Amino acid sequence: MPHRIEVGSRVPDTRAGVRKRKFQEFPFGKKIRDVFLVDVYTIDKKFRAKDLKKIGSALSNPVTEKFSVDAPIKMPAFDFAIEIGFLPGVTDNIGHTAKEIAQDLLKVEFKEGETVYTSQVSFVKGKITEMQAWELGEGLANPLIQRIYVKSFLEYKKNNGMGTIVPKVKLVHTPSVSEVNLNVSEDELVKIGKAGIANKDGSRRGPLALDLESMKVIKKYFEGLGRNPTDVEMESLAQTWSEHCKHTIFANSMDEIGEGIYKYYIKRATAEIRKKKGKKDFCVSVFKDNSGGIIFDDDWIITDKAETHNSPSALDPFGGAITGIVGVNRDAMGFGKGSKPVINLYGYCFADPADKSPLYKGENKSQKMLSPKRILEGVVAGVNSGGNCSGIPTPQGWVYFDKRYKGKPLIFVGTVGLIPRKVCGKPSWEKSAKPGDVIVMVGGRVGKDGIHGATFSSEAMDSGSPSTAVQIGDPITQKKMSDAIVKEARDLGLYNSITDNGAGGLSCSVAEMARECGGCLVDLDKIPLKYPGLDPWEIWISESQERMTLSVPKKSLKKFIDLMDRRGVEAVAIGEFNDSGKCTVVYNGAKVMDIDLGFLHDGVPKKHLSTKYLKIKYDEPNVDCPKDLTKTLHDMMSRLNVCSFDFISYQYDYVVQGSAVIGPLQGKGKVNGKASVMAPVLSSHKGVVISQGLYPRYSDIDTYHMAAAAIDTAIRNAVSVGVNFDKLALMDNFCWCSSDDERRLGQLKQAAKACFDYSTKFGTPFISGKDSMFNDFKGYDEDGNKVKISVPPTLLISSFGVTDDYRKSITLDVKFPGDLVYLIGDTYDETGGSEYFNYLGHIGNKVPHVDADKAIKTYKTFLSAVRGGLIVGSESVSIGGLGVSLARMSIAGQLGLDVDLSGISSEMRPDFLMFGESQSRLLVTVNPKNKSAFEKAMEGVTIHLIGRVRKDDKFDIKGLVKTNIETLNKFYRSTFKNY
Amino acid sequence: MKPKVIVMAGYGINSEEETKFVFEKAGATAEIVHINDLIGGLKKLKQYQILAFPGGFAHGDDTGSGNAYANKMRNNVWEQVRKFINDGNLAIGICNGCQIMANLGLIPGFDGIYGDRLIALRHNASARLECRWVNIKATSEKCVWTRDIDIMRCPIAHGEGNFYMEKKVLDRLNKQDQVVFRYVHEDGSRAKGEFPCNPNGAIEDIAAVSDETGRVLAIMPHPERNWNFYNQDNWTLLREKAARTGGKLPAEGQGMKLFRNAVRYFK
């Protein structure tokens, strides 16, 4: 019989207070009078009472807590008890730690199958109904990974507590390998490709996402071998050939571009820039590794990678986001011989969290989707947990809102890494598995996680089968592995190659490394499993988190495994690299996969894509300029895409590692900055600048200019903090929709073309990127009508580079009364796609255009003024335009402004002038003593002296706006006040 | 004597590198040691003079911050730790390290007895991690770590930093001059529990506590993350001020003083 230890608070519990407030937000919340929390440890192992008491002591704090063993803990009166625990197979991090505590305390071993599970009970006092108690539970739990249990006070008394539930995985199935018969009709081939391999009972295993053409190529290959493929081989090919791994849309020929847009626009741009830079080329490793790398200084390289984790985050926001962030951390660890994660970045596209109308995946209001608010809160919390627990500073990020992200949010996460230029005397970015090396899997164990993505029903999940689509990441398991590898094993030279286990799991990581030496042999029996009963194909493609694959020379194997063992990290030899030309996998002593590497990697049939580009003409807004722009500015400041998101900044640690220079909130007034500067090499004055740019709504008008504006903004933001762009690199993350539609592909092609045009102009090379091409939701609205919601074509451009002296950095706040305010750059009638037009309910047509030559001149001139010490505060003008930027600078400095915009343009409508988003503009403040020096330094570039910093808190724009900082600040912080 | 610092690591502690860096910058030699190497006997505490528990998320804060790591120390190397402290050496726990020290009973160490858990770090009043810059005022005469420190600006970054203890423990701490830092306003006046000046709801605005000897310091804020003047959240304003008044910029961050005091203790 399993044991149950309950731990409760003896003193007022802040967590319970927060829980109470959360419950009180429910429509019936007023009835809730009190909430108490109890943490539960269910120990599935036999212990004596004396030892259980010891374990209880070790799991609780005597100053603030009490515990009970195998009996309900004494509670004040309550009406309902709501217990939330995990479903079978879901990672239980706290349970894992509790198990370790018990093992170490009593010096006992937990045998296979013996473990500790955790759950939490909320005791609610208040006159609510049982249905409402369930509702509270549903507000806390995610049905994909958690179970809810509700008992009334009477039931609780009658049953003497909540009872004990052990969420153990029970797989009655005997693992086996099956042959997949491809000598079937074309219809059946299509079916296999689409719905998956048939099980014995006729059900299908889930999509292989292989079309008929690919199926035929596979069929032909195996005909050549004189046999049918096994299920392991089919699943493996499907993984390797997937859009996710092969990026077929970017790789296939498109219209007249034979080599595909990735090679033609992105890679070619970088090649041209590097050639042009010659000796000043700062790229080290681009596109080919898990991250891209550039030179930091004589001793160090910095790396960067940005990923998306959209679908998982829609289903399980917390789990999706945490696996996203720790996953991209592994992209740093997988660069070269292993780069140490030093900066995390984030960016979220959500629908308005105030939108409460539900969406359903299924007909008849079935499979309800999570609300935008739940998604936002879960995602923010997931990156909080993943980033903070991993000890990686997270200074830089953004949030963007549009109703079209309601079906599918976009979750961008990025990681900058740091690696010495030489490891053991050799270039650190080079790696190669050698024939004879041992294949070692390091980190977490393998379960059914992430197999075939999100294709399961919640019904099946209640009956003891493990959760397959979503997984809670375990940042501590990964942190232990990361430290052991990049802080120890790497510099001991214990391995020849390393890569991440991401999409496709071992099937992709091992096969990818096998290319370096020419073959591999893997023994699936050696792979440690979370629970027994996995089929061999599942072991091979599982996407269980926190794993790296390493190539370890035989002579180093013992030393490597011993080191990992001492660091509490599981490392297991699972096979050998060779030069057989084949990817061979054995199970139970028999070959279950034996495919030529060449076919596995390059056999995927090429396709040709055609595109159409349609330009839509929208109505121009037919509203007059508002009389009172004060109210307009106030409204603009509280817009979702303008307002403060400091509730995120304050919960993401950006000071860990002691490297912070320019953080997420700037000035006394704590305004969200647009670029950050970090100093990851503590002994150097060189720093890393990071920023991002995106304008999804410009895509409605023109994706070429959308991409141009995103690039210009990512660069300008970095420039605005005083950093030169001569050592600035870019990354592209395309999150598109309906990419089987020629018009969407037409938009894609235009955006990619802009990437080439503008990156080459600015001399800022792309070093890495990622795409996610089908961000569409197909389901039903609250009335049961069929809906398709596609995200606006979204391109995130991340900039990342080196500053030679971080001590020269600039923040956006105004700093001294009397300082002069200048606008640098030209302002045009370009309000199309702007936040202001969206506020008015319009799109417009005049989207901002970027004149790269002019922008370059502007930025270079501005940077010379920075070097001269002439710039006191500076802000990159972007979403919300001039009006918003002026208010941001003023709030940040907590000093008012006197502004007159009439000198900029006498013809333009004042509202367009204030809120248009013309690119390549900076707002700066200058010490009046330096007026002439500044104006001289800026010669040849458009500047307008538009105002002066006040010593009080009044904020005036002549003839247009009269307000004060307190009011502006109130609006700026109103939207997320209660978050 | 140049003191030798053992900087503890492993299981999710994450600030060991910058902690080592600041001790070395202050003139000590410092070594990062994984807890399992101490348990396994590869390293011995008696080889060192300063014991540092850095910040981090040991065991992911599961079962309470610092609890699992403290359990591991207590179960395996407790005698070494006790002897190390009793031998007159110094110890510091920062953030997660502070939580580990509280759970190990290295503070308050009443009557010279270590090992009793009398102080808890509860969840922040906001019940989530807060990363903010705070001002803390040194209030202890006896603490050897804070000589010549008055008000220090440094960041906090914790989810469970809310000092809590029974009244009789609090009274004794006050009486015995064991409260080392309190959260204050910029002018040095007490935060009086007001958020965000007191960022976590700590009882009597307590930010750091020492043992009876003043040699063992448990501190929630991160002085090591203000080692560099350019770490400080308002440095661009201070730079501009200095430029206009002809003032000089500090050579290093305010947090360094704490580590220099520790090194000086052995001179």
Side-chain angles (χ1 to χ4, degrees):
Chain A
M1 183 63 190
H3 302 286
R4 182 175 167 111
I5 294 178
E6 297 188 351
V7 178
S9 198
R10 291 203 290 129
V11 298
D13 178 0
T14 45
R15 285 186 309 162
V18 168
R19 180 70 48 88
K20 183 172 141 190
R21 286 201 292 282
K22 193 178 162 97
F23 283 169
Q24 284 174 336
E25 283 174 20
F26 281 75
F28 50 86
K30 274 197 208 121
K31 293 186 196 161
I32 287 159
R33 304 213 337 253
D34 227 332
V35 176
F36 313 98
L37 297 182
V38 164
D39 292 307
V40 181
Y41 300 90
T42 303
I43 304 175
D44 193 10
K45 179 179 171 66
K46 222 172 158 176
F47 278 108
R48 286 177 301 177
K50 192 179 74 180
D51 287 339
L52 287 167
K53 218 174 149 192
K54 280 189 193 165
I55 296 172
S57 294
L59 294 175
S60 58
N61 188 320
V63 185
T64 53
E65 291 171 330
K66 58 186 176 182
F67 69 91
S68 72
V69 176
D70 289 335
I73 198 164
K74 250 187 120 168
M75 291 303 301
F78 64 91
D79 294 285
F80 284 99
I82 306 163
E83 180 163 337
I84 312 264
F86 289 115
L87 289 171
V90 175
T91 308
D92 184 344
N93 295 331
I94 305 178
H96 181 76
T97 302
K99 180 176 123 182
E100 282 188 349
I101 288 176
Q103 276 181 326
D104 188 49
L105 179 72
L106 302 169
K107 306 294 178 205
V108 292
E109 278 300 315
F110 277 62
K111 289 196 204 75
E112 195 77 40
E114 294 179 333
T115 191
V116 181
Y117 303 94
T118 58
S119 52
Q120 195 184 51
V121 191
S122 303
F123 290 91
V124 180
K125 192 169 156 57
K127 298 255 165 291
I128 57 170
T129 64
E130 182 157 352
M131 277 286 277
Q132 288 168 335
W134 277 97
E135 260 184 73
L136 294 177
E138 281 156 14
L140 295 175
N142 184 331
L144 300 187
I145 55 167
Q146 288 166 315
R147 65 180 163 85
I148 308 169
Y149 225 68
V150 174
K151 275 190 185 178
S152 69
F153 181 74
L154 278 179
E155 284 173 291
Y156 185 89
K157 283 286 159 200
K158 206 172 112 194
N159 306 341
N160 193 27
M162 292 303 284
T164 305
I165 295 171
V166 181
K168 192 176 195 161
V169 173
K170 296 177 200 110
L171 294 169
V172 280
H173 164 86
T174 313
S176 64
V177 179
S178 54
E179 181 182 321
V180 183
N181 186 8
L182 296 184
N183 293 312
V184 292
S185 67
E186 284 200 357
D187 282 357
E188 179 58 22
L189 284 181
V190 169
K191 219 180 245 174
I192 295 172
K194 226 176 187 174
I197 298 164
N199 289 316
K200 285 201 181 91
D201 63 1
S203 63
R204 299 270 170 177
R205 286 182 188 173
L208 295 174
L210 293 167
D211 60 11
L212 180 60
E213 223 186 316
S214 299
M215 289 299 293
K216 279 183 174 166
V217 171
I218 294 170
K219 182 180 170 179
K220 202 174 149 212
Y221 173 77
F222 283 98
E223 274 170 5
L225 296 182
R227 64 178 177 89
N228 270 318
T230 66
D231 54 354
V232 180
E233 289 172 321
M234 281 307 293
E235 296 281 358
S236 193
L237 281 165
Q239 292 297 327
T240 312
W241 290 9
S242 66
E243 169 61 35
H244 198 104
C245 292
K246 282 279 176 235
H247 305 283
T248 45
I249 289 170
F250 272 72
N252 279 324
S253 61
M254 187 181 277
D255 298 336
E256 74 286 358
I257 303 170
E259 62 203 290
I261 55 173
Y262 169 61
K263 274 189 184 155
Y264 187 70
Y265 285 133
I266 310 287
K267 270 185 122 171
R268 186 167 61 100
T270 298
E272 282 191 12
I273 294 164
R274 295 186 68 177
K275 204 172 153 199
K276 202 169 158 201
K277 284 201 179 264
K279 279 188 179 154
K280 286 189 175 162
D281 173 25
F282 56 85
C283 296
V284 179
S285 171
V286 293
F287 303 119
K288 59 181 181 208
D289 210 339
N290 292 291
S291 301
I294 64 172
I295 293 168
F296 180 75
D297 65 10
D298 290 344
D299 301 319
W300 298 94
I301 290 167
I302 47 169
T303 66
D304 202 359
K305 172 68 178 232
E307 271 281 5
T308 49
H309 225 220
N310 308 333
S311 304
S313 302
L315 296 173
D316 172 20
F318 182 88
I322 193 172
T323 47
I325 191 76
V326 298
V328 77
N329 292 161
R330 288 196 305 277
D331 281 322
M333 293 162 61
F335 173 89
K337 289 280 176 65
S339 172
K340 182 182 82 171
V342 293
I343 305 168
N344 275 339
L345 304 113
Y346 66 91
Y348 311 137
C349 296
F350 296 125
D352 185 346
D355 182 345
K356 296 219 160 55
S357 72
L359 282 178
Y360 300 91
K361 255 185 115 170
E363 275 179 294
N364 304 321
K365 301 195 178 181
S366 62
Q367 292 180 274
K368 189 175 172 184
M369 299 292 288
L370 295 174
S371 70
K373 186 170 186 222
R374 269 294 281 286
I375 292 177
L376 180 153
E377 288 177 341
V379 165
V380 169
V383 173
N384 168 328
S385 179
N388 290 335
C389 286
S390 305
I392 302 163
T394 309
Q396 182 62 33
W398 49 266
V399 271
Y400 188 88
F401 295 86
D402 188 283
K403 62 181 178 200
R404 288 168 288 178
Y405 296 115
K406 186 171 172 181
K408 223 169 182 190
L410 302 181
I411 311 306
F412 298 89
V413 281
T415 300
V416 174
L418 179 72
I419 182 171
R421 286 175 75 162
K422 288 210 160 145
V423 165
C424 298
K426 290 185 197 142
S428 62
W429 63 92
E430 287 172 3
K431 57 184 167 188
S432 185
K434 293 194 172 51
D437 282 0
V438 182
I439 306 170
V440 180
M441 187 182 95
V442 185
R445 298 187 145 217
V446 174
K448 287 202 171 204
D449 330 6
I451 289 171
H452 286 166
T455 49
F456 60 92
S457 72
S458 52
E459 216 173 30
M461 299 205 34
D462 292 336
S463 54
S465 76
S467 165
T468 55
V470 284
Q471 199 58 20
I472 298 176
D474 179 6
I476 295 305
T477 292
Q478 177 153 316
K479 173 71 177 153
K480 288 190 289 185
M481 167 176 74
S482 172
D483 285 353
I485 292 175
V486 303
K487 293 183 182 176
E488 297 197 74
R490 180 192 72 195
D491 298 336
L492 293 169
L494 296 180
Y495 53 87
N496 287 330
S497 190
I498 176 170
T499 202
D500 162 36
N501 278 287
L506 288 169
S507 77
C508 285
S509 71
V510 174
E512 196 55 46
M513 287 168 84
R515 289 177 109 169
E516 296 167 2
C517 57
C520 62
L521 172 67
V522 176
D523 186 350
L524 292 181
D525 302 289
K526 292 191 173 148
I527 292 165
L529 304 178
K530 289 186 180 180
Y531 32 80
L534 265 71
D535 274 326
W537 68 272
E538 293 176 310
I539 301 172
W540 187 229
I541 69 165
S542 157
E543 295 180 6
S544 288
Q545 292 290 304
E546 292 97 30
R547 293 180 296 147
M548 301 292 287
T549 302
L550 279 77
S551 166
V552 180
K554 280 203 183 94
K555 65 173 174 23
S556 309
L557 186 65
K558 189 177 177 306
K559 205 172 165 191
F560 179 80
I561 302 247
D562 283 350
L563 173 63
M564 292 299 128
D565 193 39
R566 277 193 286 130
R567 299 300 173 247
V569 178
E570 191 162 27
V572 179
I574 62 166
E576 203 171 299
F577 287 109
N578 56 40
D579 53 9
S580 63
K582 293 199 163 192
C583 180
T584 311
V585 178
V586 297
Y587 181 73
N588 257 342
K591 270 187 198 174
V592 296
M593 170 159 170
D594 200 20
I595 299 186
D596 290 288
L597 267 184
F599 179 70
L600 182 60
H601 286 299
D602 304 316
V604 59
K606 300 253 183 297
K607 281 192 201 75
H608 180 76
L609 303 168
S610 339
T611 79
K612 259 193 206 127
Y613 192 67
L614 279 185
K615 216 173 145 91
I616 302 168
K617 179 104 176 103
Y618 300 94
D619 293 337
E620 288 294 334
N622 53 355
V623 283
D624 292 333
C625 180
K627 288 271 175 309
D628 182 9
L629 282 171
T630 304
K631 181 184 180 298
T632 312
L633 178 60
H634 288 163
D635 289 349
M636 285 293 288
M637 292 311 289
S638 64
R639 300 272 302 164
L640 285 162
N641 289 336
V642 172
C643 71
S644 170
F645 52 97
D646 61 2
F647 75 102
I648 300 178
S649 312
Y650 281 129
Q651 61 177 295
Y652 292 178
D653 183 352
Y654 81 97
V655 286
V656 62
Q657 300 193 4
S659 55
V661 175
I662 303 288
L665 296 167
Q666 299 182 16
K668 283 181 197 161
K670 308 288 176 206
V671 168
N672 281 106
K674 294 173 183 174
S676 303
V677 177
M678 302 291 281
V681 178
L682 298 184
S683 57
S684 168
H685 284 135
K686 285 196 176 205
V688 177
V689 67
I690 39 192
S691 186
Q692 299 126 322
L694 86 164
Y695 290 94
R697 285 196 192 128
Y698 291 6
S699 293
D700 294 335
I701 302 173
D702 191 317
T703 51
Y704 181 86
H705 296 299
M706 175 277 293
I711 291 170
D712 183 46
T713 299
I715 295 170
R716 182 174 70 255
N717 291 350
V719 167
S720 76
V721 294
V723 177
N724 203 334
F725 56 100
D726 61 351
K727 286 179 205 152
L728 198 68
L730 303 178
M731 295 191 298
D732 58 284
N733 282 83
F734 286 87
C735 281
W736 235 246
C737 55
S738 316
S739 293
D740 41 10
D741 179 335
E742 291 188 334
R743 287 166 304 178
R744 291 300 189 191
L745 291 179
Q747 289 181 310
L748 179 69
K749 191 177 161 194
Q750 284 303 310
K753 181 172 187 303
C755 286
F756 178 86
D757 292 350
Y758 283 89
S759 69
T760 48
K761 278 267 189 195
F762 281 109
T764 47
F766 286 98
I767 56 159
S768 178
K770 197 70 194 272
D771 53 81
S772 161
M773 302 311 290
F774 293 92
N775 292 289
D776 306 280
F777 168 82
K778 286 173 195 159
Y780 301 85
D781 66 12
E782 61 180 324
D783 302 320
N785 299 319
K786 231 178 176 169
V787 287
K788 178 179 176 187
I789 306 175
S790 299
V791 304
T794 304
L795 168 63
L796 170 67
I797 298 289
S798 307
S799 61
F800 126 100
V802 181
T803 166
D804 286 332
D805 189 351
Y806 60 68
R807 296 171 297 184
K808 295 266 192 292
S809 310
I810 318 269
T811 49
L812 69 95
D813 47 323
V814 304
K815 295 182 179 68
F816 288 92
D819 277 10
L820 307 174
V821 182
Y822 285 89
L823 174 66
I824 302 174
D826 290 304
T827 306
Y828 304 97
D829 182 4
E830 293 177 322
T831 320
S834 67
E835 188 62 26
Y836 179 59
F837 269 18
N838 187 264
Y839 164 69
L840 297 179
H842 284 270
I843 294 171
N845 300 291
K846 294 178 194 162
V847 71
H849 289 199
V850 177
D851 179 339
D853 292 322
K854 202 156 147 190
I856 290 165
K857 188 168 178 203
T858 304
Y859 301 161
K860 282 191 171 163
T861 313
F862 164 78
L863 288 165
S864 74
V866 170
R867 279 192 298 276
L870 300 172
I871 308 294
V872 179
S874 93
E875 150 96 343
S876 160
V877 182
S878 54
I879 290 177
L882 196 49
V884 163
S885 277
L886 284 165
R888 280 167 47 85
M889 292 179 84
S890 182
I891 295 170
Q894 294 288 290
L895 291 169
L897 290 179
D898 258 328
V899 176
D900 182 354
L901 300 179
S902 61
I904 301 171
S905 165
S906 51
E907 298 134 41
M908 213 183 296
R909 268 175 64 156
D911 55 342
F912 291 5
L913 178 59
M914 262 180 73
F915 303 116
E917 296 173 3
S918 282
Q919 295 293 307
S920 315
R921 295 182 301 164
L922 294 151
L923 260 176
V924 300
T925 59
V926 173
N927 184 344
K929 271 193 184 153
N930 294 327
K931 182 172 189 287
S932 56
F934 169 75
E935 288 177 0
K936 189 158 184 288
M938 294 304 295
E939 257 172 36
V941 169
T942 309
I943 56 168
H944 297 283
L945 175 59
I946 59 168
R948 206 174 259 276
V949 179
R950 296 177 64 105
K951 58 173 183 279
D952 58 17
D953 89 328
K954 289 199 172 54
F955 183 96
D956 287 354
I957 302 179
K958 200 176 164 189
L960 306 174
V961 173
K962 241 186 180 16
T963 180
N964 57 53
I965 296 171
E966 201 193 324
T967 313
L968 284 170
N969 191 47
K970 203 182 83 204
F971 281 97
Y972 178 58
R973 290 179 208 280
S974 59
T975 313
F976 290 114
K977 196 171 62 193
N978 296 320
Y979 279 75
Chain B
M1 183 188 82
K2 197 174 185 175
K4 212 170 156 196
V5 187
I6 177 168
V7 180
M8 297 303 298
Y11 291 92
I13 279 183
N14 60 34
S15 300
E16 69 275 15
E17 287 185 294
E18 57 270 37
T19 304
K20 174 177 191 268
F21 177 85
V22 293
F23 271 112
E24 284 177 345
K25 190 174 167 66
T29 52
E31 190 183 353
I32 293 168
V33 173
H34 194 283
I35 184 173
N36 287 347
D37 286 350
L38 197 62
I39 293 171
L42 286 175
K43 302 283 173 187
K44 300 236 182 301
L45 277 183
K46 65 179 181 197
Q47 297 160 330
Y48 307 88
Q49 289 78 46
I50 300 175
L51 167 63
F53 292 102
F57 270 84
H59 298 273
D61 278 0
D62 301 341
T63 76
S65 55
N67 182 51
Y69 200 94
N71 268 313
K72 214 169 163 72
M73 293 288 290
R74 191 201 317 276
N75 293 339
N76 299 289
V77 290
W78 177 240
E79 273 317 303
Q80 271 194 66
V81 174
R82 223 168 48 94
K83 186 167 185 319
F84 180 87
I85 305 284
N86 285 331
D87 283 351
N89 293 306
L90 299 190
I92 186 170
I94 305 170
C95 195
N96 195 204
C98 172
Q99 295 156 341
I100 291 169
M101 274 189 164
N103 281 313
L104 260 182
L106 293 183
I107 51 158
F110 288 150
D111 301 320
I113 295 164
Y114 297 98
D116 287 343
R117 287 164 89 179
L118 298 173
I119 295 177
L121 279 309
R122 294 195 298 163
H123 285 271
N124 294 349
S126 64
R128 72 173 166 220
L129 185 133
E130 296 283 348
C131 175
R132 294 170 182 273
W133 285 78
V134 294
N135 299 299
I136 51 176
K137 190 177 168 70
T139 52
S140 164
E141 294 282 324
K142 73 160 59 150
C143 182
V144 304
W145 292 84
T146 52
R147 300 271 142 85
D148 302 322
I149 295 177
D150 180 23
I151 296 174
M152 186 197 285
R153 191 165 174 80
C154 56
I156 56 137
H158 57 242
E160 301 174 31
N162 183 348
F163 266 105
Y164 178 83
M165 63 207 84
E166 286 177 7
K167 182 152 189 313
K168 59 176 196 241
V169 176
L170 179 64
D171 288 346
R172 196 163 169 195
L173 273 190
N174 278 321
K175 202 173 122 207
Q176 297 187 163
D177 189 26
Q178 286 178 251
V179 175
V180 180
F181 280 109
R182 292 184 203 269
Y183 297 107
V184 293
H185 293 279
E186 231 167 293
D187 63 7
S189 61
R190 276 272 298 274
K192 295 197 175 144
E194 203 180 290
F195 181 83
C197 192
N198 172 337
N200 50 37
I203 195 163
E204 285 194 3
D205 302 324
I206 292 174
V209 164
S210 76
D211 71 341
E212 271 186 358
T213 70
R215 289 183 284 110
V216 177
L217 172 63
I219 176 170
M220 281 314 298
H222 285 280
E224 87 285 11
R225 297 186 191 175
N226 189 10
W227 68 269
N228 182 355
F229 168 70
Y230 300 91
N231 289 148
Q232 197 165 307
D233 61 338
N234 56 350
W235 73 265
T236 56
L237 178 63
L238 299 177
R239 175 188 61 186
E240 190 60 25
K241 244 179 209 163
R244 293 188 193 201
T245 57
K248 263 184 79 177
L249 294 180
E252 57 188 25
Q254 296 177 12
M256 277 308 297
K257 244 183 182 171
L258 200 94
F259 304 100
R260 293 198 183 280
N261 278 334
V263 173
R264 196 170 301 133
Y265 180 77
F266 292 95
K267 273 183 183 152

